[in-house]
Amino acid sequence: LQIIRALGPEERFRIIDYSSDVATSGPAVNATKESIEAAAARLGELTAVGGTNINEALLEAVRPEPVDGTLPIVLFLTDGLPTVGVTAEKAIRDNILAANAEPSRRLFTFGVGHDVNVPLLTDLARESRAVADFVAPGADVEAAVGRVFDRLSGPVLADVSLAALSFVPVDM
């Protein structure tokens, strides 16, 4: 909610909540006062019940086509190991990297507590040119997510390339 409230009206978001099942708030919406209030209500109603379907949640997150002129970002938070659906680390990694065909989409991952798959979350972030962060039990999750958000706020350069020109001296 902290991040959604910090978005500008031209920025878009959607919420995907998951446990054994995966549910979404629908297509991404602009961060208006109304959509932020609806997001706050939705987040306030969430309860941790069931297993952890990481594969389906991430597939849902990378499914939409990015909007032209934007840097698509997924902030993925989990407090558990995959226990529902596809649970093998390699299979999840392969599924998500194949589905994330958009080369500019970044997957920022956050593992909360000790019961998370650190290699999986680290690899998904690294392969999408993002970062993984891990929060110890009792630590402030919002502070960790806020640190990443602070780095992303404001203008962001992505896919920058540099070309070097060489000059040949001319005899005069």
Side-chain angles (χ1 to χ4, degrees):
L1 186 56
Q2 165 194 5
I3 289 171
I4 293 170
R5 286 187 171 143
L7 295 174
E10 73 288 350
E11 295 177 297
R12 301 169 57 79
F13 73 93
R14 75 182 183 134
I15 298 169
I16 301 168
D17 61 270
Y18 67 99
S19 54
S20 296
D21 297 316
V22 176
T24 179
S25 62
V29 295
N30 284 71
T32 64
K33 181 180 177 188
E34 295 78 20
S35 66
I36 292 170
E37 287 174 5
R42 181 182 178 106
L43 292 173
E45 295 170 355
L46 292 180
T47 57
V49 187
T52 307
N53 195 340
I54 288 177
N55 188 71
E56 288 301 317
L58 282 169
L59 286 174
E60 180 61 34
V62 300
R63 186 169 288 127
E65 290 294 321
V67 175
D68 286 340
T70 66
L71 177 62
I73 295 173
V74 172
L75 299 177
F76 180 74
L77 286 82
T78 184
D79 65 353
L81 296 166
T83 59
V84 175
V86 177
T87 59
E89 179 182 325
K90 182 178 181 343
I92 295 172
R93 182 185 303 107
D94 292 347
N95 290 345
I96 304 314
L97 294 177
N100 189 26
E102 174 56 43
S104 66
R105 183 180 286 122
R106 309 293 199 260
L107 300 173
F108 290 87
T109 59
F110 298 88
V112 180
H114 294 301
D115 199 23
V116 295
N117 188 321
V118 172
L120 173 64
L121 298 177
T122 301
D123 286 351
L124 290 173
R126 186 187 67 245
E127 290 294 327
S128 67
R129 295 171 291 149
V131 294
D133 203 340
F134 300 93
V135 183
D140 189 352
V141 176
E142 287 185 8
V145 175
R147 284 190 300 272
V148 170
F149 186 74
D150 286 344
R151 291 194 325 221
L152 294 172
S153 62
V156 175
L157 292 176
D159 301 322
V160 177
S161 64
L162 176 66
L165 302 174
S166 62
F167 294 94
V168 178
V170 177
D171 290 332
M172 299 228 170

